[in-house]
Structure formats: C-alpha cells, structure tokens
Amino acid sequence: MLVLLGFLVLQALSGGFVEGFYLPGSYLHPYKDGDELGVKVNSITSVETELPYSYYSLPFCRPKEGIKKVAENIGELLMGDEIENSPYKFKMRTNQQNVKVCETSPLTEKDVKHFHQRIDDLYQVNLMLDNLPVTRYTKQPDSNKPMRWTGLPIGHEKDTKHYIFNHLIFKVLIHEYEGETSMVAMLGNGDGLDVVQTESERNLTGTHMVVGFEVVPCSVERDAKALKDVEDYGTLPGVSCSLNGPHQEIKVNEPLVFSYDVVFEPSEIRWPSRWDSYLKMEGTRVHWFSILNSLMVITFLAGIVFVIFLRTVRRDLTKYEELDKESQSQMTEELSGWKLVVGDVFRAPGSPQILCITIGDGVQILAMGVVTIFCAALGFMSPASRGMLLTGMVLLYLFLGSVAGYVASRLWCTIQGSPAGWKAIALKTACFFPGISFIILIILNSILWANGSTGAIPISLFLVLFLLWFTISVPLTLLGGYFAARSEPITYPVRTNQIPREIPPQRYPSWLLVLGAGTLPFGTLFIELFFIMSSIWMGRVYYVFGFLFIVLVLLVIVCAEVSVVLTYMHLCVEDHRWWWKSFFASGSVAFYVFLYSINYLVFDLHSLSGPVSAVLYLGYSLLMVTAIMFATGTVGFLTSFYFVHYLFSSVKID
C-alpha cells in the first residue's frame, strides 16, 4: 500500500514529466463540429538502425506558431520519444482536399543527403491524433489480406532515385458521443431505465470522439513555381494518388510542396474499444504452448524434488532418529553424502558482501518486475498511456529500496552473526545495480549524443533520476537495513567446524552443472522472450501481460526447483560450497538469454545496419541480462537457503 501511495504521489509531483494518468476507456475528449484537431509528431524511427531522430531534423513543414514540445513523462524520455506539434490542422467533421501545408526552402545538398539516408534506412514518420498513432494498410504479397502498420514511410527509392511522400490522405474515424449512464440516476430509479442526463452530458450531446486515425501516403509531382500564389492552407489543384503516376523526386535546389486530404468517417467502434486494433493479440496458441511447456518442466522438476524430500531425505532422517544414542554415535562415523558436511554447510561463502548486495538488488528487481507486470495485466499500465510502463518500473524500483536494504542487511547479519557493518551493506546495495545501469547508459548515451539521436537521455533526466535515487532509494534502503539490524538474526541449526572439511575430487566440474541448470528456466520463457524482443526492437505493441505474468510465476517456480535439486546434488558429493552455486544455478538462465539476444540480432535483426546499432543493441541487452541474472539468481539462492536450513535443522548431530 505504501509503494502504491508513493507511486501515485510521485506521479502527481513529477509535473513536467507526466502527461497524465490514463486508462483505456477512463478518459475521453469529445469534440464539437468545427473544433480544431491538432496532429502531433513523434521521433522518426527505423528497425534498420534503432536510432530515433527528431521529426524536424529533416526539412519538413513547420507549424506557423513554432515548434512546441509536449510534456513527457520519465518513460517517454527514456524511450527516446520527442512529441511535438505539427503543421497538420483538422476541424471536426470538416472534410478537406488538396490543402497546401507549405512550400519548403530549396533543398541543400545536406538536406538531400539526409533524405536519402533516412529513406534508405526505412525510417517511419510517427503521427498521432488524440493520442492515437496513425496507421496504414498494405496488401500482403501472397494474398489480398491487408496488413496493418503504424507510421508511414518518408519516401521510397526506385531506379536509384528517391521520391518523397509529400501528399497524405488522412481518414479520421469518429463515433458520436452516446452519454454516460449516471450511477446516481441508476440508483435513484431502481432498474435504471429512466436515466436523468446531467448538465455536462446535455452539453456533450452531438459531439464526436476520435476512434481511428489512418493514412495513405502518396508521392505527387507538384511544380513549386506554378503554386507560388497559393497561400499555406489554401487549396491546390487536384492530383491523383497513383503508384504509376509522376512522383516528387528529391533534388538539390528544388523546394518541396506538402499537402494533405482529410476525410471524417463515422465508425461503429466505441471509444473504449478504439485501442483494440493496436493491441490485437496474435499467436495465442503459441503463448499457451509456452505455458504448457513450462508446466511440463515444472512437473518434472517437482517430481525430482518430491523424491529428494520424501524418499531420500525423510527416509534417512527417520532411520537416524529411530536409533538410540549409542547407535547414533556409531552411525555418525559412517555418515555419507550430505550428512558428512554438517559441520561445514553453513560456513561463510567467499565474497559474502557481494553475495548480500546481489541478493538485495535481486529481490528489488524481482519485486519490481512482479508488481509492474501484475499491474500491466490488470490494465493499469496500458500502451495507450505512452511511457507509463517504464515510468512505473523506475518509480517502483526506487520505492522498493527498503526491501532490498532489509534482505541484504538481514543476510549479512546472518552470515556474520552480528549486525556490525550493516550500514555499509545497505549503502552498497543502493549503489550496486544502479551504478552498473548508469555506467552502461552513459556509454550508450555518448554514442547516441555523437549521432544526434533523440534516443539519448537528456542531461536533465539524468539529474532527475540521480535526485530521485539519492532522495528516495538510498534513504529507503538504509531504512530497510536499519530494521534488519534490529531484527533477530537467523540462527543456524548446526555448528560450524573451525577447520574446513576437504572437498573430495569431483567427477564432473561443478560449473558445468551450474551452467547446464539454466537451460530449464530458459525453456520456460524463450517463446515469450521472442514477443518481448519483437516489441522492443521491431516496434510492435506488446500487450499480453496476462500471459507474461503467468510465465513469470512459472519461471520463479522452475528457478526454485532447479536450485534446490542442484544444491542437493552438490551436498551429496560432499561439496559444501552451495551459496554461490545456488545463485548461479538459476541465474545462469541469463547466459542463455544473452545467447538468444545474439541469435535474434543475427537472424531476426539481420537488416540492422552499422556497428553503432549493433553496439546499442548489445549494450541494452547486457543491461537486461544483468537484471535477469540478479532476479533469477536471488530466487534460487533464497529457496536453497531455506531448503538447507530445513534439511539440517532436522539432523541432531553434535
């Protein structure tokens, strides 16, 4: 509750960075006939380079009132969005044809070069109307079934010549305002058949809402000299939008004339359903196959864990407890397997500080991921609210610092046997993963700044994030550490020998088992990982958060089971160094995720051009993989710690 309250408070206080709290169907904007509709532009993007640029980095028409940036939230800024006003002006239910937007200045060689580069790299123009991205339809090569795309290309290339799409045919789908049923009126009239309209509803009668925004881009040849006398937003001579007609070539010292048509068309689509076409779920069977595959893996591992607990461990403990003291002392000399490491199993691991810090950060990342995906599955972080998902992740991570500080300090006090040094552990926990993230982002940002991309995080946002981290995350992490230091430490069920037991030679290298253990958790998520990667790098909208939440729960279960099985296997061969191995047993799934990322780069993003794009891709993938390793490794370690503690608490050996 505290996290949710803090999240909403920070949303309200972050004025300049938050556009508004939005849920599909919870806020609408009815327009009266003749009301002005302003089209906005976002950064131009391409799946070829992954380098977004400002719309006005190219010599497009600019609005008469000047370029004005729209207030953006933290998530939008992190994603490289740059939303600005545009020169395209509509009026509700007013159809227009051949409207001249502007005539640009004669193009310089630099302008022409930039146009050619952007067209060759398949850059898309992203327009928005009433928060709806513009869409276009193309026919599939092998069928007449239309394909839906967001955005529109800048132009096209044919016979080594480049042509600009300088005439846009817009279609705005509208739905008449039907009024909202007043809850008070329904309660007052019993069955709700006689509903009294409120004053605000009477004022909105006859208004319309935007429920769709489509475009057909055309390249039409226009003689700028012959159209000099036509003022901006005046009517140009009619032209036909033909694939074979004369197109507008991009030439040096030649101006470009931009124009548009707009048609308003009534639609049966209701306002709460206007995002359905964007969020249409595809590949449902594939998602269910992924879940069934994960359930099979879980069942297999659960069977192994069941055998370990009931047939092996419980049988040995029952047999041991039935003996008298003399027989127990004799049996102690004949102990084998995991029972031999009773005096070393809780020996402090190597690099205990790093282990505690990593586990603390892992709990923070895991809790952030679970809460974020759960809220997204309930619809609280819809793609309709641009950047909301990423903003929520950042803010939740900040407020969950208290959990990280508590877990890290509690584990440190348990290993050390005293609360001494908890402040340093809590402070390092607050800095470790954020420090890694800042280093990676600064390196990638330097590359983006050098290329003039809008994907670069502004310096002001870096300062805001640093301020939020220093004023929220760090104090909360120290607060969590304080409560952990005041709590009673977890006591070990057995005593640790002063002299460590020698570990016998192993038949197989332990790192091989640890690395191989990651294949099972990876098998539960690799199908869903494809859809996530496509959403991030191919510009597709991901909205199957319900499936993603189920997969996340299954992943946690598999990681826990894998780690328990591997920990038991190590103890059975008298290897008491289970602390780090339990972490990497489940955390090694990150290694396979990174290999999959490289495979996706080579085979799915094979059109990605230039080393800069590849470096950006690998950098962001490395950051994602690090977070996955921390989260999954933490699940494995905490489960193994509970397993080992429970196992040896049942052994009565002095």
Side-chain angles (χ1 to χ4, degrees):
M1 186 66 185
L2 179 62
V3 172
L4 180 59
L5 179 61
F7 173 76
L8 294 177
V9 169
L10 199 57
Q11 280 284 88
L13 294 177
S14 55
F17 294 95
V18 180
E19 187 172 348
F21 186 75
Y22 180 93
L23 290 175
S26 65
Y27 175 79
L28 52 84
H29 190 169
Y31 295 92
K32 298 180 181 179
D33 291 356
D35 283 356
E36 188 172 294
L37 302 174
V39 177
K40 294 181 176 62
V41 294
N42 201 345
S43 301
I44 57 174
T45 56
S46 170
V47 297
E48 297 278 326
T49 66
E50 303 298 342
L51 289 170
Y53 290 97
S54 170
Y55 175 81
Y56 294 109
S57 63
L58 294 174
F60 289 119
C61 294
R62 297 173 178 247
K64 298 296 183 183
E65 65 274 15
I67 301 173
K68 299 178 182 178
K69 294 184 181 295
V70 177
E72 297 173 299
N73 55 42
I74 294 176
E76 289 175 310
L77 294 172
L78 289 174
M79 291 189 299
D81 288 347
E82 189 168 296
I83 304 174
E84 299 162 315
N85 58 333
S86 79
Y88 296 101
K89 307 293 183 184
F90 306 157
K91 291 186 178 180
M92 175 57 74
R93 299 185 69 191
T94 303
N95 297 338
Q96 297 173 286
Q97 286 187 334
N98 298 309
V99 178
K100 179 182 178 182
V101 182
C102 79
E103 176 187 326
T104 67
S105 302
L107 301 179
T108 63
E109 291 186 5
K110 185 178 180 180
D111 293 334
V112 173
K113 180 182 178 181
H114 283 173
F115 266 126
H116 288 185
Q117 288 178 343
R118 302 295 180 260
I119 293 174
D120 291 338
D121 290 335
L122 304 181
Y123 270 86
Q124 301 279 318
V125 174
N126 299 296
L127 304 176
M128 294 183 296
L129 178 65
D130 196 38
N131 200 40
L132 279 181
V134 71
T135 59
R136 61 187 174 91
Y137 291 91
T138 60
K139 291 184 178 180
Q140 295 185 9
D142 53 346
S143 67
N144 291 326
K145 185 178 179 181
M147 293 181 63
R148 185 186 182 100
W149 304 87
T150 56
L152 61 133
I154 295 174
H156 69 282
E157 185 265 339
K158 184 179 181 181
D159 299 330
T160 69
K161 294 183 179 180
H162 294 77
Y163 302 93
I164 187 77
F165 286 129
N166 59 333
H167 183 74
L168 304 180
I169 303 175
F170 294 107
K171 181 166 70 173
V172 181
L173 304 180
I174 56 175
H175 188 85
E176 187 174 359
Y177 179 78
E178 298 174 346
E180 297 179 350
T181 303
S182 173
M183 183 61 68
V184 177
M186 288 185 64
L187 294 174
N189 289 281
D191 56 7
L193 295 177
D194 296 324
V195 179
V196 179
Q197 276 194 321
T198 63
E199 182 65 28
S200 60
E201 287 175 346
R202 282 196 294 269
N203 293 336
L204 295 176
T205 302
T207 59
H208 292 78
M209 298 159 294
V210 177
V211 295
F213 186 35
E214 301 173 5
V215 68
V216 176
C218 302
S219 180
V220 295
E221 189 175 25
R222 294 191 184 275
D223 187 356
K225 294 180 180 179
L227 303 174
K228 279 283 187 183
D229 296 334
V230 181
E231 296 182 356
D232 293 348
Y233 300 103
T235 303
L236 295 173
V239 292
S240 61
C241 184
S242 173
L243 294 176
N244 301 320
H247 296 166
Q248 182 65 55
E249 185 180 355
I250 303 172
K251 298 179 180 179
V252 179
N253 297 325
E254 291 288 336
L256 297 175
V257 177
F258 288 90
S259 58
Y260 68 91
D261 296 349
V262 58
V263 176
F264 288 84
E265 182 177 298
S267 172
E268 295 298 322
I269 300 174
R270 296 173 62 87
W271 193 89
S273 304
R274 67 178 191 158
W275 274 90
D276 289 356
S277 58
Y278 296 90
L279 308 178
K280 185 179 180 181
M281 185 172 61
E282 298 179 356
T284 307
R285 292 184 179 180
V286 178
H287 292 284
W288 282 116
F289 173 77
S290 172
I291 292 174
L292 292 176
N293 174 64
S294 303
L295 289 174
M296 292 178 63
V297 173
I298 288 175
T299 304
F300 172 72
L301 291 174
I304 297 177
V305 174
F306 179 81
V307 170
I308 290 175
F309 270 105
L310 296 185
R311 297 195 56 187
T312 304
V313 177
R314 180 57 62 186
R315 181 188 60 192
D316 290 350
L317 293 176
T318 303
K319 180 180 177 181
Y320 182 80
E321 291 172 355
E322 290 176 352
L323 300 177
D324 54 25
K325 292 185 177 180
E326 183 178 351
S327 300
Q328 287 181 7
S329 61
Q330 293 177 356
M331 185 178 177
T332 302
E333 300 176 357
E334 301 175 358
L335 292 177
S336 61
W338 60 270
K339 297 176 284 294
L340 285 172
V341 297
V342 66
D344 298 272
V345 69
F346 290 107
R347 187 174 301 281
S351 305
Q353 283 196 15
I354 299 179
L355 178 64
C356 296
I357 294 167
T358 305
I359 297 302
D361 283 333
V363 170
Q364 188 176 7
I365 294 170
L366 181 64
M368 175 203 68
V370 171
V371 175
T372 301
I373 296 174
F374 180 73
C375 291
L378 295 178
F380 289 102
M381 296 181 181
S382 167
S385 183
R386 200 175 294 272
M388 185 66 175
L389 184 66
L390 200 52
T391 302
M393 291 176 63
V394 172
L395 298 180
L396 281 171
Y397 181 84
L398 293 172
F399 282 102
L400 287 169
S402 56
V403 180
Y406 181 85
V407 172
S409 299
R410 188 78 187 274
L411 181 60
W412 172 255
C413 296
T414 300
I415 294 175
Q416 293 296 112
S418 68
W422 69 267
K423 293 181 181 178
I425 293 298
L427 187 60
K428 291 176 182 178
T429 301
C431 300
F432 189 53
F433 181 74
I436 295 174
S437 303
F438 270 104
I439 291 173
I440 294 176
L441 290 177
I442 288 174
I443 294 173
L444 298 181
N445 250 36
S446 300
I447 298 173
L448 291 168
W449 280 327
N451 287 270
S453 172
T454 59
I457 301 175
I459 295 293
S460 58
L461 181 58
F462 263 117
L463 295 176
V464 169
L465 291 175
F466 183 82
L467 183 63
L468 291 175
W469 166 77
F470 188 74
T471 57
I472 297 177
S473 183
V474 173
L476 286 177
T477 306
L478 291 172
L479 181 64
Y482 171 77
F483 283 110
R486 291 178 61 89
S487 303
E488 292 194 14
I490 301 172
T491 56
Y492 296 142
V494 294
R495 291 182 299 185
T496 302
N497 297 333
Q498 292 184 352
I499 301 175
R501 178 184 179 84
E502 184 179 353
I503 300 173
Q506 306 297 316
R507 180 176 299 180
Y508 302 105
S510 59
W511 64 266
L512 194 61
L513 291 174
V514 170
L515 190 62
T519 56
L520 293 175
F522 178 73
T524 66
L525 62 82
F526 82 96
I527 294 179
E528 206 65 32
L529 189 61
F530 169 79
F531 292 95
I532 296 174
M533 299 288 281
S534 299
S535 173
I536 296 174
W537 300 107
M538 301 292 287
R540 300 172 185 171
V541 178
Y542 185 89
Y543 198 60
V544 286
F545 291 106
F547 283 112
L548 184 59
F549 184 76
I550 295 174
V551 170
L552 179 61
V553 173
L554 298 179
L555 175 65
V556 170
I557 296 174
V558 173
C559 286
E561 293 177 341
V562 163
S563 185
V564 167
V565 172
L566 202 70
T567 299
Y568 181 74
M569 291 175 61
H570 279 101
L571 295 178
C572 285
V573 295
E574 304 175 31
D575 187 355
H576 56 80
R577 299 168 302 182
W578 60 271
W579 300 76
W580 278 108
K581 291 177 182 178
S582 65
F583 176 86
F584 286 112
S586 53
S588 60
V589 65
F591 173 74
Y592 297 98
V593 172
F594 189 71
L595 291 181
Y596 181 84
S597 301
I598 296 176
N599 173 81
Y600 190 85
L601 172 64
V602 174
F603 294 100
D604 293 274
L605 292 178
H606 51 82
S607 61
L608 203 66
S609 60
V612 173
S613 301
V615 170
L616 291 173
Y617 175 86
L618 293 175
Y620 287 120
S621 297
L622 182 62
L623 181 60
M624 176 185 68
V625 165
T626 303
I628 291 174
M629 183 184 69
F630 280 28
T632 55
T634 296
V635 172
F637 172 80
L638 294 179
T639 309
S640 293
F641 184 88
Y642 175 79
F643 166 73
V644 173
H645 192 280
Y646 172 80
L647 177 62
F648 284 91
S649 64
S650 304
V651 179
K652 299 178 177 58
I653 298 179
D654 295 328

